[in-house]
């Protein structure tokens, strides 16, 4: 039986099936289940301690749990917040993408990078895509977003701040030249596009569509940037793609 709390989080990420049909020796299955049950009770700051039982395991299930642990340990989101963010996007709410990015933003870029790497290694499209979005959200969070600590609606506050940051970046972007006025904004846009580039082939291409609501703006950005193949782009094209991607997110 899959524990309800960790299952709820993983279901929001489109990951519920990763723990079914585990392969390998029974001992490895036991280690996976031990980590899973531990994560079900874990809170921010304690989740990574649950991974000791799967140390050394390299299965997709093990990486899926490391990915989930990264989100829980950082305390960047709750199941309720993530569900609300995804619902906002599905309803084409204009604050949808800002809400999702706000919910997924880590306070530590190193932790976001590591979690994104684990998510990608899980080979699960939904998990890889959310890892990349979390990495992008964390990059955007470097733009001096105000603290929402103590706010009666912290997710709403963070969503508004993310929307303001996206608007400022888009206003600095020239879609005709694919450049930014501020070099720092150009670097940020390049890094954001790079995080999506890493997972695109297993999340948003062909039949590997983890979420049409999230992949749609990515594909629209590729089209607007005139980039037919995201795997073969120059640094300047990545900047242009990043600008178009930020434009899509700001518009959604």
């Amino acid at each position: 039986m899959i524990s309800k709390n960790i299952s709820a989080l993983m279901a929001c990420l489109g990951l519920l099936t990763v723990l079914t049909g585990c392969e390998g020796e029974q001992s490895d299955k036991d280690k996976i289940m031990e980590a899973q049950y531990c994560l079900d009770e874990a809170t921010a700051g304690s989740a990574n301690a649950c991974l000791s039982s799967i140390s050394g395991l390299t299965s997709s299930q093990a990486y899926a749990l490391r990915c989930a642990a990264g989100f829980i340990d950082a305390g960047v989101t709750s199941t309720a917040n993530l569900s609300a963010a995804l619902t906002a996007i599905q309803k084409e709410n204009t604050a949808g993408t800002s809400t999702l990015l706000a919910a997924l933003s880590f306070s530590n870029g190193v932790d976001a990078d590591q979690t994104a790497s684990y998510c990608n290694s899980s080979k699960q499209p939904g998990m890889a895509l959310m890892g990349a979005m979390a990495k992008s959200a964390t990059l955007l969070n470097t733009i001096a977003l105000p603290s929402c600590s103590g706010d009666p609606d912290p997710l709403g506050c963070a969503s508004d701040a993310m929307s303001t940051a996206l608007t400022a970046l888009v206003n600095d972007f020239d879609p005709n030249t694919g450049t930014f006025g501020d070099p720092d904004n150009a670097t940020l846009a390049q890094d954001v596009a790079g995080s999506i580039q890493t997972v695109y082939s297993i999340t948003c291409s062909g039949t590997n569509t983890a979420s049409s609501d999230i992949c749609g703006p990515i594909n629209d950005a590729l089209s607007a940037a005139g980039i037919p193949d995201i795997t073969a782009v120059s640094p300047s094209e990545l900047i242009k793609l990043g600008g178009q991607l930020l434009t899509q997110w700001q518009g959604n």
Side-chain angles (χ1 to χ4, degrees):
M1 179 178 178
I2 299 177
S3 303
K4 62 181 181 180
N5 293 336
I6 186 63
S7 295
L9 175 61
M10 297 177 79
C12 282
L13 296 173
L15 312 170
L16 193 56
T17 60
V18 301
L19 296 183
T20 62
C22 297
E23 299 178 356
E25 299 297 328
Q26 183 63 39
S27 60
D28 287 351
K29 291 181 182 179
D30 289 341
K31 292 175 182 177
I32 290 288
M33 295 306 295
E34 180 182 343
Q36 178 193 333
Y37 283 121
C38 179
L39 285 174
D40 187 52
E41 303 298 327
T43 57
S46 70
N48 281 334
C50 295
L51 303 178
S52 59
S53 65
I54 59 173
S55 176
L57 296 187
T58 58
S59 65
S60 62
Q61 294 87 0
Y63 280 114
L65 288 176
R66 292 184 183 109
C67 172
F71 283 104
I72 297 170
D73 201 67
V76 299
T77 187
S78 68
T79 303
N81 281 355
L82 186 55
S83 178
L86 293 174
T87 298
I89 288 179
Q90 291 162 0
K91 289 183 177 180
E92 298 183 354
N93 187 313
T94 55
T97 303
S98 293
T99 303
L100 180 65
L101 291 169
L104 293 177
S105 179
F106 281 56
S107 60
N108 186 309
V110 174
D111 291 342
D113 290 350
Q114 183 64 80
T115 298
S117 177
Y118 287 148
C119 294
N120 194 26
S121 294
S122 76
K123 303 304 180 185
Q124 302 298 319
M127 183 167 273
L129 182 57
M130 283 301 166
M133 291 294 286
K135 185 175 179 179
S136 294
T138 304
L139 287 166
L140 290 168
N141 200 34
T142 62
I143 309 179
L145 296 182
S147 172
C148 293
S149 177
D151 191 283
D153 180 17
L155 182 59
C157 169
S159 176
D160 289 344
M162 186 65 71
S163 179
T164 298
L166 287 171
T167 298
L169 287 165
V170 170
N171 287 341
D172 190 47
F173 175 63
D174 183 346
N176 295 316
T177 62
T179 60
F180 286 82
D182 187 335
D184 289 340
N185 289 342
T187 299
L188 178 62
Q190 182 178 357
D191 290 342
V192 166
S195 68
I196 299 300
Q197 179 190 34
T198 302
V199 304
Y200 182 83
S201 63
I202 69 167
T203 61
C204 295
S205 64
T207 59
N208 298 324
T209 302
S211 167
S212 60
D213 300 297
I214 300 176
C215 289
I218 296 173
N219 288 324
D220 288 344
L222 280 166
S223 177
I227 296 175
D229 183 4
I230 195 174
T231 64
V233 292
S234 66
S236 62
E237 288 176 319
L238 266 184
I239 293 172
K240 183 178 183 180
L241 174 59
Q244 292 292 351
L245 186 56
L246 294 170
T247 300
Q248 291 295 325
W249 287 347
Q250 190 266 341
N252 285 336

